[in-house]
Amino acid sequence: MKDNECINVTFCAYIIILVVGDELNEMDEAIIKIKNNIKFVRSSHARPMSFKKCIEKLKVQSKI
């Protein structure tokens, strides 16, 4: 490889890392929100029943 090809590959890899890292940060925020919602639903006996009714009404698959 020539020196400038090596620099171009390194530069492209760096750009990919920046883009992927940014997307992963956004996904982390969404995952944290989902975890918090699951904790909220499970913190009461009435909430899972209400949640289960909503799931059945919307015909969504669930493991509850």
Side-chain angles (χ1 to χ4, degrees):
M1 263 194 201
K2 296 178 184 177
D3 286 341
N4 59 352
E5 287 179 1
C6 198
I7 291 171
N8 286 339
V9 170
T10 304
F11 183 70
C12 290
Y14 180 70
I15 290 172
I16 291 171
I17 289 170
L18 289 175
V19 170
V20 171
D22 190 41
E23 292 298 320
L24 288 176
N25 285 337
E26 289 180 20
M27 287 175 55
D28 284 344
E29 292 174 13
I31 291 170
I32 289 169
K33 288 179 182 179
I34 291 169
K35 285 181 179 180
N36 289 338
N37 286 328
I38 291 170
K39 287 179 187 176
F40 178 77
V41 169
R42 289 186 175 174
S43 66
S44 163
H45 292 293
R47 288 186 192 124
M49 293 300 192
S50 175
F51 186 71
K52 190 172 182 178
K53 288 178 185 177
C54 290
I55 289 173
E56 290 170 357
K57 184 177 178 181
L58 296 173
K59 300 176 183 175
V60 176
Q61 278 187 330
S62 171
K63 293 182 181 182
I64 293 180

